[in-house]
Amino acid sequence: MRSFIIVFILLVSGSELYAQISASPYSAYGIGVIKERTSAMNRGMGGTGFALRDPLNLNNLNPAAYSSIQLATQVMETGIFLESDRYRNTTQSSKFTTANLTNVNFWLRFTKKWAGTAGMSPLSSVNYHITSGQGIGGNSSLEYLGSGGVTQFYFGNAYQITKNLSVGATASYFHGSIARREIITSGLALGTEVSNNVYINRGNIDYGLQYQFFLKNERAITIGAVYNKQLRLNTSQQTAVYQQNDTLSNSKTDVADYVLPQKFGGGLAFQTKRSTLTADVSYQEWAKGKLEDHLKLRNTRRASIGYQFRGSSMESFWGGVVVRAGYYVQENAMILQGISFTDWGATFGVGIPVSAKRNSINLSYSYNHSGTTDKSLIQQQSQIISLDVTFRDLWGIKRKFD
């Protein structure tokens, strides 16, 4: 059975079909729910950062920003998140909670003008479990399960060409697998299972630049831009059919490569000694992308705004505390049953200094709204709490550059 059939049954599970849903039903498409490569600072500011330059914190949304860190020569950041999801359609609702790793980032300054980063983070996640009390017979049940996703391993570099201009690029390697299972169990205990394992890998490079206009009284305006080309993922599939624990077939089957669209993004930031206000817009040509054979996609736009406030002095505890907030709105690429919808969310974050102000603990909260209840589709509301720890200059005294 094709995955689009599974999702169709899932999304139209109204009064005639009792369904129990876990995790995100929209992750049943393609490589799952796609995630941005972000840092703790980005997550606290609504996923904003194309024009963001910060002397202490890592910005993963624009590789040109790697050169902005000036108050450390090494930075390591890692964290976890806890996510609580609520799903509902016109007749039912359910909840699910999960936790995972946010990212692992390591940043290093090589010279006065050259800095780089290496790390890993999720590119996508697949996690759904749907059960139904109605199948091909009155005592039958249908069960659909999906797990896995794609991880990106990356190495980025930024170079400060002039005092005002910085350029950067990040090379990534995508690797992962997605396991999908479809189980039919009849009242006679004659069970049939179809198992599809999809394997994905591919390399990629994305680019960015930032240009700063320095004003009086330690103020600056920054313009940022990013570009990511269209990418065809190397995709293969292994399909097996089982009945009563006996293997009926097990073979490699052809599957069309997933295609991620090109992306253009731009941002503007206004920065003072204590405050930063920044906004981003981006555009992705999803109409030229590919997730499933029978899934219609549309081009999407995203807009976000973020604010960060830092205390007046790093010499005091409260002076080292950073407060962040943000908001985003984004068109969803999928068109389901002729309906398109928009995702949106709000975030709040705080950075708390520890260990003589050298390190910090970053807490962030986000509320995200996705989907719709029109035509028995599913609306998803997510609340995410992230905890990231940032270590700076673990190997001792900062180096001095001439």
Side-chain angles (χ1 to χ4, degrees):
M1 290 180 288
R2 299 291 298 167
S3 59
F4 76 90
I5 299 177
I6 302 173
V7 180
F8 175 79
I9 296 174
L10 183 157
L11 293 177
V12 298
S13 56
S15 59
E16 295 181 358
L17 196 65
Y18 176 76
Q20 185 176 13
I21 304 166
S22 299
S24 176
Y26 294 105
S27 70
Y29 293 98
I31 64 173
V33 177
I34 297 176
K35 302 177 180 295
E36 293 282 353
R37 183 180 64 233
T38 58
S39 66
M41 181 173 62
N42 301 136
R43 285 188 288 276
M45 300 175 71
T48 311
F50 294 158
L52 186 59
R53 294 183 67 81
D54 189 275
L56 273 172
N57 297 288
L58 187 64
N59 173 16
N60 264 343
L61 286 173
N62 189 337
Y66 297 148
S67 64
S68 66
I69 298 178
Q70 300 294 328
L71 302 182
T73 55
Q74 311 118 23
V75 176
M76 181 177 177
E77 180 181 280
T78 186
I80 57 174
F81 71 88
L82 177 68
E83 179 173 347
S84 176
D85 299 311
R86 181 176 181 267
Y87 316 95
R88 68 183 184 91
N89 60 15
T90 54
T91 60
Q92 306 165 48
S93 66
S94 61
K95 293 183 179 180
F96 186 75
T97 301
T98 187
N100 210 332
L101 184 73
T102 56
N103 54 251
V104 177
N105 289 314
F106 179 72
W107 175 91
L108 181 66
R109 177 166 290 282
F110 303 113
T111 69
K112 186 177 181 179
K113 294 186 177 182
W114 176 27
T117 185
M120 60 176 290
S121 67
L123 173 69
S124 71
S125 64
V126 175
N127 189 2
Y128 63 89
H129 184 185
I130 307 106
T131 59
S132 166
Q134 182 180 13
I136 58 176
N139 296 320
S140 299
S141 66
L142 301 174
E143 190 172 8
Y144 309 100
L145 303 97
S147 62
V150 180
T151 300
Q152 55 178 316
F153 304 88
Y154 50 87
F155 175 65
N157 286 269
Y159 190 80
Q160 192 80 32
I161 297 177
T162 68
K163 180 182 178 181
N164 305 86
L165 178 63
S166 176
V167 297
T170 299
S172 305
Y173 177 69
F174 303 148
H175 179 77
S177 63
I178 299 168
R180 292 187 171 96
R181 297 166 60 202
E182 303 143 36
I183 303 172
I184 303 173
T185 304
S186 72
L188 299 176
L190 295 174
T192 300
E193 177 180 339
V194 180
S195 176
N196 291 306
N197 292 316
V198 179
Y199 305 96
I200 298 164
N201 66 83
R202 187 62 192 266
N204 184 43
I205 300 178
D206 58 273
Y207 309 91
L209 66 85
Q210 291 180 328
Y211 191 91
Q212 279 191 296
F213 300 90
F214 294 100
L215 310 176
K216 295 180 179 179
N217 301 321
E218 299 185 64
R219 298 180 179 183
I221 295 175
T222 305
I223 299 174
V226 297
Y227 173 71
N228 204 334
K229 67 179 181 178
Q230 185 183 81
L231 185 65
R232 180 177 292 274
L233 301 175
N234 298 325
T235 309
S236 60
Q237 179 175 272
Q238 185 84 23
T239 301
V241 180
Y242 307 94
Q243 189 173 51
Q244 289 186 309
N245 297 321
D246 292 330
T247 302
L248 301 183
S249 67
N250 189 353
S251 62
K252 289 185 177 181
T253 57
D254 294 333
V255 59
D257 291 338
Y258 298 128
V259 178
L260 305 183
Q262 65 177 342
K263 175 181 177 180
F264 307 88
L268 182 67
F270 175 72
Q271 187 171 350
T272 68
K273 186 176 181 179
R274 298 173 64 180
S275 297
T276 300
L277 178 64
T278 182
D280 289 351
V281 293
S282 61
Y283 176 77
Q284 285 188 278
E285 294 183 331
W286 272 107
K288 297 180 180 179
K290 186 178 180 62
L291 293 181
E292 297 289 347
D293 291 339
H294 297 268
L295 178 63
K296 186 177 181 180
L297 303 173
R298 62 167 177 161
N299 297 333
T300 62
R301 295 164 294 178
R302 185 184 195 274
S304 62
I305 186 170
Y307 177 74
Q308 176 176 270
F309 177 83
R310 179 178 283 113
S312 59
S313 172
M314 285 294 293
E315 296 179 0
S316 66
F317 173 81
W318 292 111
V321 173
V322 179
V323 179
R324 306 178 179 108
Y327 178 84
Y328 75 89
V329 58
Q330 177 177 342
E331 295 170 326
N332 196 291
M334 296 183 292
I335 300 176
L336 303 171
Q337 301 187 57
I339 295 178
S340 58
F341 52 89
T342 299
D343 305 331
W344 60 271
T347 66
F348 177 79
V350 59
I352 303 171
V354 295
S355 183
K357 317 300 184 298
R358 176 179 294 177
N359 308 317
S360 62
I361 296 175
N362 296 280
L363 294 170
S364 63
Y365 166 83
S366 66
Y367 173 85
N368 308 288
H369 184 281
S370 179
T372 177
T373 58
D374 294 344
K375 292 189 178 181
S376 295
L377 296 180
I378 294 172
Q379 183 185 91
Q380 178 177 342
Q381 297 171 317
S382 303
Q383 298 187 76
I384 304 173
I385 297 176
S386 301
L387 172 64
D388 294 271
V389 181
T390 304
F391 302 95
R392 300 180 181 90
D393 293 317
L394 286 174
W395 291 276
I397 300 175
K398 296 187 298 179
R399 293 180 293 177
K400 303 295 182 180
F401 298 103
D402 296 326

